[in-house]
Amino acid sequence: AQSVTQLDSHVSVSEGTPVLLRCNYSSSYSPSLFWYVQHPNKGLQLLLKYTSAATLVKGINGFEAEFKKSETSFHLTKPSAHMSDAAEYFCVAYNYGQNFVFGPGTRLSVLP
Amino acid sequence: SQTIHQWPATLVQPVGSPLSLECTVEGTSNPNLYWYRQAAGRGLQLLFYSIGIDQISSEVPQNLSASRPQDRQFILSSKKLLLSDSGFYLCAWSRSGTSNQPQHFGDGTRLSIL
């Protein structure tokens, strides 16, 4: 069965410093992978997706993620955090014919 | 382009009252549809998903039910709400028949049970 692990429940960074949110997946097949962001009392917004093309995926708002099959990882990064990046982030895996599997989420705090 | 509408945005209901939350999708046909619940500070729990009209799967036993009376309409209901039904309810859609298309979410409904 698929599973998604987000190793950090909470990450705190200073504004202007890099962001790293970690995600590892477990799947019998190479899944499609997604990162979503959720601001308080809002729905989830798609940041980026990996679908077996380029392993380095660029998304919106300066975020990117790299798929590493050998490490079964899909970590989300951003070179310089902005106050507006403070939110909850979810890593999601999907294999055709199965349901989307969500990680537990990582709360990102950005300090001034 | 495709859009998803979910309403109401907030709802306060007494214990034992009925519930109806509605979700509609525009700009696509035969979408897969989903209902999730998110408890405070928690991740997402899949409640129901649907691959077509009157084709609905329930993921967890609960006090809720779902219906899909039209291709792009998904309704979450309850006959008698419990305190434990409080939470943030999210509707989502995805393109059917593909392996690499993401889900797209509505803005959610904050449900408070008194």
Side-chain angles (χ1 to χ4, degrees):
Chain A
Q2 284 190 111
S3 66
V4 175
T5 304
Q6 291 182 245
L7 296 168
D8 306 300
S9 60
H10 182 212
V11 170
S12 185
V13 301
S14 297
E15 190 174 21
T17 64
V19 176
L20 169 64
L21 304 182
R22 296 182 291 170
C23 171
N24 288 87
Y25 68 91
S26 171
S27 175
S28 301
Y29 307 96
S30 290
S32 297
L33 295 163
F34 312 94
W35 273 101
Y36 288 85
V37 60
Q38 184 183 30
H39 289 93
N41 291 310
K42 293 290 186 183
L44 277 70
Q45 179 186 19
L46 181 68
L47 283 176
L48 48 80
K49 64 179 183 181
Y50 166 75
T51 57
S52 77
T55 56
L56 183 61
V57 181
K58 294 188 183 299
I60 62 172
N61 301 336
F63 285 95
E64 61 182 39
E66 186 172 9
F67 174 71
K68 292 186 177 180
K69 187 174 182 178
S70 61
E71 298 176 9
T72 61
S73 69
F74 189 56
H75 301 334
L76 181 71
T77 60
K78 183 174 180 176
S80 176
H82 191 271
M83 295 297 289
S84 60
D85 295 327
E88 189 87 16
Y89 291 80
F90 292 95
C91 182
V92 182
Y94 177 71
N95 273 312
Y96 183 69
Q98 302 178 24
N99 275 323
F100 291 81
V101 177
F102 284 74
T106 297
R107 182 164 60 91
L108 175 65
S109 297
V110 182
L111 307 175
Chain B
S1 64
Q2 301 84 23
T3 57
I4 178 168
H5 302 281
Q6 193 180 336
W7 68 92
T10 60
L11 190 60
V12 180
Q13 293 282 100
V15 169
S17 63
L19 173 74
S20 180
L21 302 181
E22 191 162 340
C23 173
T24 59
V25 179
E26 296 177 356
T28 188
S29 59
N30 195 31
N32 295 326
L33 296 172
Y34 309 82
W35 277 112
Y36 289 90
R37 177 168 58 205
Q38 188 176 29
R42 306 279 297 274
L44 275 73
Q45 178 187 35
L46 178 63
L47 300 175
F48 301 95
Y49 70 93
S50 172
I51 61 171
I53 293 176
D54 295 331
Q55 293 179 282
I56 298 169
S57 297
S58 173
E59 287 298 293
V60 294
Q62 58 202 314
N63 184 41
L64 302 168
S65 62
S67 60
R68 185 170 176 173
Q70 301 179 47
D71 180 46
R72 291 169 291 171
Q73 184 184 28
F74 206 24
I75 297 173
L76 184 68
S77 303
S78 174
K79 292 181 180 178
K80 278 188 172 184
L81 285 166
L82 306 172
L83 281 174
S84 58
D85 291 323
S86 292
F88 192 52
Y89 288 82
L90 289 159
C91 181
W93 75 273
S94 67
R95 210 172 294 279
S96 61
T98 65
S99 61
N100 60 8
Q101 294 300 311
Q103 291 176 310
H104 304 275
F105 287 82
D107 286 336
T109 295
R110 173 72 58 191
L111 175 63
S112 300
I113 310 300
L114 303 179

